[in-house]
Amino acid sequence: MGSGIAIWQVIILTIYSMYQIMDELTLQTSLSQPIWAGIIAGLVMGDLKTGLIIGGSLQLTVLGVGTFGGASKIDANSGTVMATAFAIGTGMKPEVAVAALGVPVASLMIQTDIVARFANTFFQHRIDKLIDEENYSGIERNYLYGYLPWTLSRGIPVFLALAFGGPFVRTAVDYMNTNLAWLSNGLATAGALLPAVGFAILLRYLPVKKHWPYLILGFVITAMLSTIYGNVTLLGTTIAGMNAKFTTVFANLPMLGIALIGFALAAMQYNRSVKESNLVAAQPKQNAGATDLDEQDGEIHGDEL
Amino acid sequence: MATNSNKTNYKLTDKDFKQMNIRSLLFNQVGWNYERMQGSGYLYLILPQLRKMYGDHTPELKKMMKMQNQFFNTSNFFNTIISGIDMAIEEKEGVNSLETVAGIKAGLMGPFAAIGDSIFAALVPAIMGAIAANMAVQGNVVGAILWMLVNFVIMWFRWIQLKFAYKQGVSLVNEMQGQLNALTDAATLLGVYVVGALAATMVNTHVIFVAHLGKMTVNLQDKIDMIMPKLVPALIVGAIYWMLGRKRMTSTKAIFIVIIVAVVLSALGIIGKA
């Protein structure tokens, strides 16, 4: 390797980076956090203390950066792995390692992350087909195939960076960002657009024709409030950038509030339906009384027989 | 099942809850994808239970599997609450509950995502991350280990909430005895409302095309925002909805059309990721 990182160290750190994304998606033990990336990379490289310091400082920089609705976030985990491995292995300064290796790896990962989320769409459609074929074990198998795109999307960039160093990764990122820019932009756009397909299919399962006014309400309330909240937040950060005295922080649109409006509308509908069905139920009761009389008639007829 | 095609005779046992919980903790989101996000994950989580309820190779099972394989996305800290309520309703009402379940899933996924993200994706990592990081820069691993312990406690909550939600679901269904229609009505209303709200926030596309008319530049997105913000996402969802209603159109064909159109329009500089 010639970079002060042994091949077994490269392999273990690659496996860790493949594991951490699965941990983030499923168990969430905190092993996917930068702090643990620092500890694990430090232990593998034989210097826990350096790993702790790098992991801790990167953890502080991403404090409060969470994922919302499946959006990609800053990859501080791989940045920590790079910084720790190269700081201990080659004596590179951690800040330099983050800038020279962590950032290119993270930008390569944005691309592989998009490809992974696309690849799983393919398995999603395989499952559609297997439902028609009633192949139950096939459904489960194709679901678990999702492991492949996810783990490779992290493993490949980390392995390339650790094994071949920063220049190689930067060349790859440059190529993606110039020659293949149309494709990576296109895939990013398509990825942003694909939830629309999911919503459209879901609407086919819901009685849209009956409840269409609420589709409009849900959309318009959210579209307008999110625009207002977004603009206010933008204003706030802009003013804070110009004037240090301005310290007010504006929150994002609370989706729970949007949902609560929906709950209220649903509750009103529920009460209305109950009332209606009680009215309907009250009428047949009179009819039921009538049939009782008929039945008494029937009994008389029966007696005659 | 033979006696009454609409009702299932299966009652969930502790073994079922255990199986669902293991699938939730270890495999939830493995199939996450752009189109339906946790859609196949939701089906995977309850597939063994659906098979027990409806029986293998029945038309009812196929119908329910299809519905359960649609768009779904919520906090992976609260997902089994929705599964628990779902199971309680399906156990009682069987295939009749298809619309109710679709409505409840769509209606509850948004609120639970909002609560779950703000607590478990923002608040807990911010607090525990600060503690762990401050100890770590002094060379101390205790903070990181503490964070992991906290997450194991959270996992325990994730484990017990399924049975709790299921029990709540059972009493909900019993309380609303004979009111399934009213419940369906309310649940599907909420579902439709939430899909409308999600279309406004989760389809992140806008027009990047800027027209140059002589010396004047016209930013199309600005003009569209004056008519109605998020109009482009709404039109896209509407167009795909219409497209899916066409004969011989499958969701697989639709998704290829959408990908190709998106890549072409993006390469031409007309639309882009917001």
Side-chain angles (χ1 to χ4, degrees), chain A residues 210-211 213-214 262-277, chain B residues 181-190:
Chain A
K210 187 174 169 194
H211 289 315
Y214 297 96
F263 269 125
L265 293 169
M268 290 192 290
Q269 177 71 25
Y270 179 78
N271 290 338
R272 254 197 321 270
S273 314
V274 169
K275 227 178 253 168
E276 267 171 34
S277 72
Chain B
N181 284 336
L183 180 66
T184 306
D185 222 23
T188 53
L189 182 155
L190 183 61

Side-chain angles (χ1 to χ4, degrees), chain B residues 180-220:
Chain B
L180 185 71
N181 284 336
L183 180 66
T184 306
D185 222 23
T188 53
L189 182 155
L190 183 61
V192 169
Y193 173 91
V194 167
V195 174
L198 291 178
T201 51
M202 288 181 80
V203 185
N204 296 314
T205 317
H206 66 173
V207 176
I208 53 172
F209 182 68
V210 179
H212 295 275
L213 306 165
K215 280 181 188 168
M216 202 173 69
T217 53
V218 180
N219 185 328
L220 274 181

Side-chain angles (χ1 to χ4, degrees), chain A residues 22 24-31 33 35-36 39 48-49 52-53 56-57 59-60 63-70 72 113-114 116-118 120-121 124-125 127-128 131-134 136-137 139-140 143-147 150 182-183 185-212 214-215 217-224 226-227 253 255-259 261-263 265-267 269-270 272-274 277-278, chain B residues 23 25-37 39-41 43-44 47-48 51 56-58 61-62 65-67 69-71 73 76-77 99 102-103 106 108-109 111 114-115 117-118 121-122 125-126 129-130 132-134 136-137 139-141 144-145 147-148 151-152 155 158 176 179 182-183 185-186 188-193 195-205 228-231 234 236-237 240-242 244-245 251-252 255 258-259 262-263 266-267 271-273:
Chain A
M22 297 324 297
E24 176 86 17
L25 289 170
T26 58
L27 271 176
Q28 298 218 330
T29 55
S30 79
L31 276 175
Q33 299 290 342
I35 188 121
W36 279 105
I39 292 171
L48 176 62
K49 196 159 177 167
L52 267 173
I53 292 168
S57 48
Q59 185 76 56
L60 285 173
L63 223 51
V65 181
T67 42
F68 292 96
S72 308
D113 182 74
I114 290 174
R117 288 167 195 256
F118 260 111
N120 276 338
T121 310
Q124 173 82 57
H125 283 264
I127 292 171
D128 276 345
I131 288 175
D132 272 328
E133 291 166 5
E134 298 181 331
Y136 307 112
S137 57
I139 295 171
E140 302 201 337
Y143 177 71
L144 296 175
Y145 284 158
Y147 269 111
W150 276 120
W182 66 273
L183 185 63
N185 284 340
L187 288 183
T189 308
L193 224 154
L194 280 187
V197 181
F199 295 144
I201 302 174
L202 187 57
L203 285 178
R204 293 239 156 237
Y205 276 84
L206 294 168
V208 182
K209 291 205 171 86
K210 187 174 169 194
H211 289 315
W212 62 267
Y214 297 96
L215 184 67
L217 271 180
F219 172 75
V220 172
I221 292 172
T222 316
M224 299 209 293
S226 70
T227 309
L253 172 66
M255 283 303 283
L256 190 62
I258 301 279
I261 297 174
F263 269 125
L265 293 169
Q269 177 71 25
Y270 179 78
R272 254 197 321 270
S273 314
V274 169
S277 72
N278 283 347
Chain B
R23 286 189 174 215
L25 281 180
L26 292 181
F27 303 108
N28 189 27
Q29 304 202 90
V30 169
W32 200 101
N33 61 83
Y34 279 127
E35 185 194 335
R36 296 189 217 158
M37 302 197 174
S40 55
L43 173 66
Y44 177 79
L47 185 58
R51 288 172 68 182
D56 281 357
H57 306 292
T58 55
L61 177 62
K62 196 187 263 188
M65 281 198 299
K66 274 189 183 162
M67 183 272 291
N69 194 31
Q70 298 313 322
F71 184 96
N73 200 44
N76 55 340
F77 293 93
E99 255 193 356
L108 293 183
M109 67 183 173
I115 308 170
D117 279 351
S118 51
N134 281 320
V137 288
N140 195 339
V141 279
I145 292 165
W147 190 351
M148 190 181 276
N151 278 7
F152 274 99
M155 262 180 250
R158 286 163 77 185
M176 296 187 174
Q179 301 290 7
L183 180 66
D185 222 23
T188 53
L189 182 155
L190 183 61
V192 169
Y193 173 91
V195 174
L198 291 178
T201 51
M202 288 181 80
V203 185
N204 296 314
T205 317
M228 176 72 215
K230 312 280 180 184
L231 186 63
I236 292 168
V237 174
I240 299 169
Y241 180 81
W242 171 82
L244 287 169
S251 66
T252 309
I255 199 161
V258 169
I259 292 173
V263 172
S266 146
I271 61 166
K273 188 171 180 261

